[in-house]
Amino acid sequence: MQERSQQDTVAYEVVDRIAWVKFNRPEKRNAMSPKLNRRMMEVLDELEFRDDVGVLVLSGEGESWTAGMDLKEYFRETEAEGLGGIRRSQRESYGWWRRLRWFQKPTIAMVNGWCFGGGYGPLYACDLAFAAEEAKFGLSEINWGILPGGGATKVVVDLISMRDAMYHAMTGEMIDGRKAAEWRLVNEAVPAAELKARVSAVAAMLLEKNPVALKATKDAVRRVKDMTYDNAEDFLVRAQEAANSFDPRGRKEGIRQFIDEKSYKPGLGAYDKERVGSDSE
């Protein structure tokens, strides 16, 4: 089988302001190789500030989301290069996961199939996650003699209970999408045939929101998790002030439509961000 070029390890298309990004090594269960990791950073560069992109969805070609790190290319071949090769491959993979965590636009993991080991890095990096009920999740590292590294242990400790995290990491036993939703690794699990429709509906909902407020909100949720209440309170005040400076009219327009026009109710939906009234100048 001919080896894929770096360009061909990731595919994407933009449709109705949603960037549908796919790991594209189905013959390797979309395992993350150094080439794929480098290409993902390029793709994030290409999409992050495009005006026609409002939401990014990360999925996988074929029957897998990603089977984690490519054991041959990511581990064996880079380890053969010595410490320099190892550190380079770590920077390339952890680098795009970090970039995805703080991406300018909302991000959704659409887990259509196998999600193993290193795949927990980009899974956690996405703001929201939806899985097919038939998808398979697992920390298989224990089965070949290492711990769940690359942030995977941190991911399960942050997202699921300590007992479930211990069982998941120590046994290497697979769970399906339903169990992943029960454990809160993902927001929801739906039948595979309904997965794209559900993700599309959530993406459409996000596209209605104020983009500056969305970015401030996703950053705030990640930042305040490890803060004391007082520190979080102060941070959120400053974050709102910063958001107001980037979008001085958005907040006023939302209030104007609610109070003066009575054209929407905040508890039931978003204000119309395409309209700007005279009072919001």
Side-chain angles (χ1 to χ4, degrees), residues 265-280:
K265 295 180 180 180
L268 301 180
Y271 77 98
D272 184 351
K273 67 180 188 301
E274 305 303 323
R275 296 170 52 223
V276 177
S278 59
D279 291 343
S280 62

Side-chain angles (χ1 to χ4, degrees), residues 52-271:
D52 63 338
V53 173
V55 176
L56 183 149
V57 176
L58 181 59
S59 188
E61 184 63 44
E63 65 180 10
S64 297
W65 196 64
T66 175
M69 294 307 195
D70 187 305
L71 300 191
K72 177 177 178 288
E73 295 185 38
Y74 183 85
F75 288 103
R76 176 182 285 176
E77 293 181 1
T78 56
E79 287 171 3
E81 298 177 29
L83 184 59
I86 293 170
R87 291 291 180 260
R88 183 187 67 249
S89 64
Q90 290 170 338
R91 285 194 301 270
E92 289 169 348
S93 56
Y94 305 166
W96 79 261
W97 302 348
R98 186 177 300 112
R99 178 75 176 281
L100 188 61
R101 283 201 302 276
W102 306 106
F103 199 68
Q104 186 70 22
K105 314 291 174 62
T107 57
I108 304 173
M110 187 172 79
V111 185
N112 54 302
W114 296 73
C115 177
F116 276 71
Y120 282 37
L123 176 69
Y124 180 74
C126 289
D127 304 317
L128 303 174
F130 296 82
E133 292 176 347
E134 300 88 336
K136 301 297 182 185
F137 294 76
L139 293 180
S140 58
E141 287 87 345
I142 196 69
N143 292 332
W144 52 285
I146 70 168
L147 61 82
T153 298
K154 172 64 172 171
V155 170
V156 295
V157 168
D158 270 9
L159 296 183
I160 69 181
S161 74
M162 189 272 286
R163 292 299 184 197
D164 290 334
M166 281 290 192
Y167 187 89
H168 199 45
M170 292 177 69
T171 67
E173 188 175 290
M174 287 193 303
I175 61 172
D176 63 14
R178 296 181 189 87
K179 178 64 76 172
E182 180 185 325
W183 278 1
R184 309 309 296 154
L185 274 173
V186 299
N187 292 92
E188 293 177 24
V190 298
E194 301 173 16
L195 181 59
K196 187 169 184 178
R198 176 60 178 142
V199 170
S200 296
V202 174
M205 190 188 314
L206 294 173
L207 289 171
E208 295 177 355
K209 313 300 183 186
N210 181 300
V212 173
L214 278 174
K215 172 60 173 167
T217 298
K218 58 183 272 181
D219 288 357
V221 170
R222 289 191 185 274
R223 293 293 188 194
V224 302
K225 186 176 185 297
D226 296 319
M227 294 182 184
T228 64
Y229 187 90
D230 286 344
N231 287 344
E233 186 178 73
D234 186 64
F235 169 83
L236 292 169
V237 168
R238 308 302 170 218
Q240 182 61 65
E241 290 171 350
N244 290 347
S245 72
F246 280 109
D247 180 30
R249 296 189 297 184
R251 175 171 167 269
K252 292 179 181 179
E253 176 62 17
I255 292 173
R256 188 189 71 80
Q257 290 180 24
F258 173 60
I259 294 177
D260 301 332
E261 291 187 351
K262 297 180 173 54
S263 58
Y264 88 110
K265 295 180 180 180
L268 301 180
Y271 77 98

